[in-house]
Amino acid sequence: MTWSEMRPLLEQASWETLIMVGWSTLIAVVAGLPLGVLLVLSDRGGLLQNVVVNKVVGQVVNVGRSMPFIILMVALMSFTRWVTGTTIGSEAAIVPLAIGGIPFFARLVETAVREVDGGLVEAVQSMGGSTWTIVRKVLVPEALPSLIASTTTTVIALIGYSAMAGTVGGGGLGDLAVRYGYQRFDTGLMWITVAFLAVVISLIQFAGDLAARTLHRRGRGGAAPALRLLKAKEPAAADIGKVA
């Protein structure tokens, strides 16, 4: 197959992969972010401590993460057909991709939020801040660089999942590599597709790392840096009192 024949196939497959990964990432972030925060808030010692809720949500997330994507995709075929009207194509693949991405991203969010300094949370509590204020002004802003990195990891994982979805009629670059590259013995097209995926993933990782580092250097902004300054001033004031 010549390059002029490969090019339209690669363009169409890339567009299908972009649609699948873009929509599934959006859904995974929108649903996974509050789920991950809830896991932190409902844990022992959390602001909304509820062991039962934490255990139930944690088990659901664990089951979703542990299930191989190919099995999840087959198990959700009836639900996918109910949502999209079909089980074939890029639109149908978004459903299992999103459902598989939600628990994956939720655990990453939980890890990122747990890294936030507990002293900042206590400072906002002492000033009468509500749970929602703490989440909005401290937990999410402070964890933002890690959340950006988590989103990058999720996007890359979903690109891999989308390649598996392509093997069962989901379309995209995975379908192109298998149907045209493997089944038709066109190894050149298959390796070009693999190389293209490698380049795309490298660019996404670079962009995500750059964004996370930039946010980290800027100190994230918002209320948390001011709280750090307040905490830094308190010991100095205490020392002045001792000297007096």
Side-chain angles (χ1 to χ4, degrees):
M1 186 180 293
T2 63
W3 171 248
S4 61
E5 295 172 320
M6 291 181 187
R7 182 176 176 178
L9 294 175
L10 283 169
E11 290 176 351
Q12 178 64 26
S14 299
W15 176 247
E16 291 173 350
T17 298
L18 177 63
I19 292 173
M20 288 190 290
V21 174
W23 279 107
S24 57
T25 299
L26 178 62
I27 296 170
V29 170
V30 170
L33 179 60
L35 196 61
V37 173
L38 178 62
L39 285 170
V40 176
L41 297 179
S42 62
D43 201 3
R44 295 182 186 277
L47 298 174
L48 300 175
Q49 179 175 319
N50 190 316
V51 178
V52 175
V53 171
N54 186 266
K55 293 296 182 184
V56 171
V57 175
Q59 285 301 317
V60 171
V61 170
N62 288 339
V63 170
R65 286 187 63 202
S66 63
M67 187 174 297
F69 179 72
I70 192 72
I71 296 176
L72 178 66
M73 189 164 49
V74 173
L76 290 172
M77 278 188 173
S78 297
F79 179 70
T80 301
R81 185 181 290 109
W82 178 75
V83 173
T84 64
T86 181
T87 58
I88 299 174
S90 302
E91 291 183 2
I94 292 172
V95 176
L97 282 170
I99 293 177
I102 289 170
F104 183 86
F105 185 69
R107 280 300 184 193
L108 295 177
V109 171
E110 180 189 12
T111 301
V113 173
R114 287 190 188 280
E115 294 175 354
V116 175
D117 184 5
L120 299 176
V121 176
E122 293 174 0
V124 176
Q125 281 182 308
S126 67
M127 292 186 289
S130 64
T131 300
W132 169 243
T133 300
I134 292 171
V135 171
R136 188 167 56 93
K137 293 292 187 179
V138 179
L139 295 181
V140 173
E142 283 294 294
L144 193 55
S146 296
L147 292 176
I148 295 295
S150 299
T151 303
T152 304
T153 302
T154 303
V155 171
I156 292 173
L158 289 175
I159 291 175
Y161 290 167
S162 71
M164 284 188 279
T167 63
V168 291
L173 292 168
D175 176 61
L176 178 65
V178 172
R179 186 151 53 93
Y180 286 88
Y182 177 74
Q183 294 179 351
R184 299 187 183 184
F185 303 102
D186 191 341
T187 55
L189 176 60
M190 184 174 67
W191 284 113
I192 288 174
T193 305
V194 171
F196 181 73
L197 279 170
V199 171
V200 169
I201 289 173
S202 297
L203 291 174
I204 292 172
Q205 187 68 62
F206 173 78
D209 291 345
L210 180 63
R213 286 196 300 268
T214 301
L215 286 171
H216 186 75
R217 285 197 299 267
R218 290 180 179 178
R220 280 87 86 185
L227 290 172
R228 286 201 194 94
L229 182 61
L230 178 63
K231 289 176 64 182
K233 288 181 178 179
E234 287 176 353
D239 292 339
I240 293 172
K242 288 180 181 179
V243 172

